């Protein structure tokens, strides 16, 4: 009886560090989406609720442009906010071509920090810059439509679903000249790439195209609403990169990528919706702490029960011995 208790106590003591280790592993390896902060100063803006939605084809080759979620006919979608004119308007991505002219050509620096571009140092690439160049389109994103801000819970997730073009696309942030680049989207990656954008934010990034030609880019915007519903829409962005690339070709180009036609539907899988890292950990941490407490409580109860059993066995053994002596 006593030797059995010793073996059981040894097994219980061995379980405790294993349980704690398992909890720590789960806490430290939980998946998380990237979070895009606002690294560039001077990006304050507001969007009026009555800014119009315009129709008709447009080629945008310079000036301020944002991607952003918006409701159109009460449907959640992704639109292009065109600030290139005195009166900003919203445009349909299907009717808009973003022109990246030869003025965007830059040379890849001889710096290992830029190896993620997948281009040799000294080669030329087309760069839509994070800091505005008046001769190049200036492309960012915002979550500032008034109805969007009233309806979403905390923010949105922007995901790259695929790129169809003659070269590769890389989108990255960089806070100043001495900070390390932070890649957000890389078309060479085979899976969807989400990042998180808080409500009422306005951010610009670097968009790097490695070759001239037409690029079709599938982008998804998803969000949890304060009503409890989750919404998502996928749209196709059209780029004409290089002065020699035809805008008509960009309009008529087709692809098998998702988003060739607008898709607006609930997203049931929160992981696929790209929940922010902070929210994922906020939800996971209490569950893991509760699990750890339950495990510890169970182990303590087992130890106490074992001690009581040991004492009872010792008392019964003592009684039997006393009875035998009589």
């Amino acid at each position: 009886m006593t030797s059995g208790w010793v073996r059981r106590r040894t097994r219980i003591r061995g379980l405790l560090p294993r349980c704690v280790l398992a909890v720590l592993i789960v806490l430290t390896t939980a998946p998380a989406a990237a979070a895009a902060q606002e690294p560039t100063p001077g990006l304050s803006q507001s969007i009026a609720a009555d800014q119009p939605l315009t129709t008709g084809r447009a080629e945008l080759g310079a000036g301020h442009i944002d991607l952003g979620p918006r409701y159109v006919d009460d449907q959640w979608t992704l639109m292009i906010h065109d600030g290139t004119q005195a009166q900003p308007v919203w445009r349909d991505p299907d009717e808009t071509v973003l022109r990246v002219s030869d003025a965007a050509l830059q040379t890849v620096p001889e710096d290992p920090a830029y190896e993620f571009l997948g281009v040799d140092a000294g080669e030329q690439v087309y760069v839509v810059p994070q800091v505005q160049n008046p001769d190049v389109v200036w492309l960012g994103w915002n979550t500032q439509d008034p109805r969007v801000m009233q309806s979403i819970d905390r923010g949105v997730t922007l995901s790259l679903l695929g790129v169809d073009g003659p070269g590769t696309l890389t989108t990255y942030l960089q806070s100043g000249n001495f900070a390390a680049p932070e890649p957000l989207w890389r078309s060479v990656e085979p899976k969807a790439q989400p990042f998180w954008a808080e409500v009422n934010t306005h951010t610009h990034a670097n968009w790097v195209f490695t070759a001239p030609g037409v690029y079709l880019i599938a982008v998804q915007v998803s969000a949890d609403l304060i009503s409890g519903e989750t919404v998502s829409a996928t749209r196709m962005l059209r780029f004409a990169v290089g002065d020699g690339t035809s805008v008509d070709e960009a309009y008529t180009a087709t692809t098998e990528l998702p988003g060739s036609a607008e898709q607006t539907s609930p997203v049931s899988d929160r992981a696929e919706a790209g929940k922010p890292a902070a929210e994922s950990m906020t939800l996971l941490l209490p569950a893991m702490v509760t699990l750890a407490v339950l495990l510890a409580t169970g182990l303590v109860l087992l130890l106490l029960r074992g001690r009581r059993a040991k004492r009872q066995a010792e008392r019964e053994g003592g009684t039997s011995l006393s009875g035998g002596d009589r």
Side-chain angles (χ1 to χ4, degrees), residues 196-214:
W196 173 254
E198 296 283 348
V199 67
N200 194 24
T201 59
H202 174 214
T203 306
H204 282 252
N206 300 284
W207 303 66
V208 180
F209 300 86
T210 59
V214 172

Side-chain angles (χ1 to χ4, degrees), residues 6-308:
V6 172
R7 287 194 300 271
R8 185 163 58 252
R9 183 174 60 182
T10 302
R11 287 197 300 270
I12 292 170
R13 287 179 175 175
L15 282 174
L16 182 58
R18 292 179 186 177
C19 294
V20 173
L21 178 60
V23 172
L24 289 175
I25 289 173
V26 174
L27 286 173
T28 56
T29 58
Q37 305 300 324
E38 183 175 326
T40 306
L43 292 179
S44 60
Q45 70 173 5
S46 61
I47 296 177
D50 60 353
Q51 283 188 358
L53 173 64
T54 190
T55 58
R57 289 185 172 185
E59 175 187 354
L60 305 179
H64 184 194
I65 299 166
D66 291 332
L67 310 176
R70 193 177 191 269
Y71 284 92
V72 177
D73 296 330
D74 290 330
Q75 295 294 312
W76 171 269
T77 188
L78 181 67
M79 301 293 285
I80 292 176
H81 186 247
D82 178 5
T84 61
Q85 306 297 323
Q87 173 61 50
V89 296
W90 290 92
R91 296 187 180 275
D92 188 332
D94 291 339
E95 298 182 335
T96 307
V97 170
L98 303 177
R99 161 72 71 184
V100 183
S101 68
D102 287 351
L105 283 169
Q106 294 188 30
T107 301
V108 177
E110 295 184 5
D111 186 337
Y114 294 93
E115 289 180 352
F116 68 92
L117 294 175
V119 181
D120 293 336
E123 295 290 329
Q124 284 199 313
V125 293
Y126 293 84
V127 180
V128 175
Q130 181 172 320
V131 178
Q132 186 173 15
N133 176 346
D135 298 324
V136 179
V137 66
W138 192 36
L139 179 61
W141 55 85
N142 74 65
T143 55
Q144 296 177 306
D145 176 76
R147 183 176 173 185
V148 167
M149 290 195 295
Q150 292 169 3
S151 62
I152 63 176
D153 181 14
R154 298 187 58 203
V156 306
T157 298
L158 288 165
S159 301
L160 177 69
L161 300 186
V163 176
D164 190 343
T168 63
L169 164 71
T170 302
T171 303
Y172 71 94
L173 294 171
Q174 190 166 17
S175 302
N177 294 329
F178 301 104
E182 177 192 349
L184 296 176
W185 290 343
R186 299 180 69 234
S187 63
V188 295
E189 297 292 336
K191 58 184 180 180
Q193 299 161 66
F195 69 80
W196 173 254
E198 296 283 348
V199 67
N200 194 24
T201 59
H202 174 214
T203 306
H204 282 252
N206 300 284
W207 303 66
V208 180
F209 300 86
T210 59
V214 172
Y215 290 77
L216 301 181
I217 301 175
V219 176
Q220 182 185 74
V221 60
S222 305
D224 287 338
L225 307 184
I226 57 176
S227 65
E229 180 187 4
T230 301
V231 291
S232 179
T234 301
R235 302 302 304 271
M236 189 69 63
L237 307 180
R238 298 176 179 270
F239 287 80
V241 178
D243 288 349
T245 302
S246 166
V247 172
D248 290 336
E249 183 183 353
Y251 278 124
T252 58
T254 60
T255 181
E256 297 299 320
L257 293 173
S260 53
E262 182 174 1
Q263 304 170 11
T264 305
S265 61
V267 178
S268 58
D269 189 340
R270 289 178 176 267
E272 291 181 358
K275 292 297 290 178
E279 183 172 348
S280 297
M281 291 306 295
T282 300
L283 294 173
L284 182 61
L285 185 57
M288 292 299 99
V289 170
T290 301
L291 177 60
V293 171
L294 290 174
L295 288 172
T297 302
L299 291 172
V300 169
L301 291 175
L302 285 174
L303 288 170
L304 293 175
R305 184 182 299 174
R307 289 178 180 175
R308 286 196 298 269

